[in-house]
């Protein structure tokens, strides 16, 4: 359930055009963290892990996902550029 909410947040962030990339990443992180904390209180994750550990885990996962997104986009760009060079 938390994953679905985080995926919806990700799609919402793609729809919102924020000029400053760092502000967009910060807003995305805060929204995901809010969702995780809400689910954490609902399912007693907070009783097992401190809030700062959940926040850190969200940060690490977000950084990893951003890196994977960037590398996927870079691979797509390289493939498109390679196809364009073959056509010319």
């Amino acid at each position: 359930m938390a994953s679905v909410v985080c995926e919806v947040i990700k799609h919402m962030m793609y729809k919102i055009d924020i000029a400053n990339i760092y502000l967009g990443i910060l807003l995305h992180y805060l929204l995901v963290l809010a969702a995780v904390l809400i689910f954490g209180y609902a399912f007693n994750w907070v009783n097992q892990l401190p809030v700062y550990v959940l926040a850190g885990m969200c940060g690490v996962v977000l950084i990893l996902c951003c890196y994977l997104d960037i590398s996927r986009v870079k691979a797509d760009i390289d493939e498109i550029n390679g196809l364009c060079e073959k056509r010319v």
Side-chain angles (χ1 to χ4, degrees), residues 69-81:
D69 265 354
I70 290 169
S71 64
R72 186 184 67 202
V73 169
K74 185 175 178 348
D76 289 345
I77 289 171
D78 291 342
E79 180 182 350
I80 291 169
N81 285 339

Side-chain angles (χ1 to χ4, degrees), residues 5-18:
V5 172
C6 291
E7 193 67 26
V8 169
I9 290 171
K10 182 175 99 172
H11 287 292
M12 282 180 9
M13 292 304 297
Y14 285 141
K15 297 287 182 188
I16 300 171
D17 188 27
I18 298 176

Side-chain angles (χ1 to χ4, degrees), residues 2-70:
S3 176
V4 170
V5 172
C6 291
E7 193 67 26
V8 169
I9 290 171
K10 182 175 99 172
H11 287 292
M12 282 180 9
M13 292 304 297
Y14 285 141
K15 297 287 182 188
I16 300 171
D17 188 27
I18 298 176
N20 188 342
I21 187 75
Y22 298 113
L23 181 63
I25 291 171
L26 179 65
L27 181 62
H28 186 198
Y29 172 73
L30 291 175
L31 289 172
V32 168
L33 181 61
V36 167
L37 289 177
I38 289 169
F39 279 101
Y41 283 111
F43 296 107
N44 289 327
W45 299 338
V46 178
N47 290 341
Q48 297 170 1
L49 292 171
V51 173
Y52 67 88
V53 173
L54 285 174
M57 287 172 35
C58 284
V60 168
V61 169
L62 185 65
I63 289 169
L64 178 64
C65 290
C66 286
Y67 173 75
L68 291 174
D69 265 354
I70 290 169

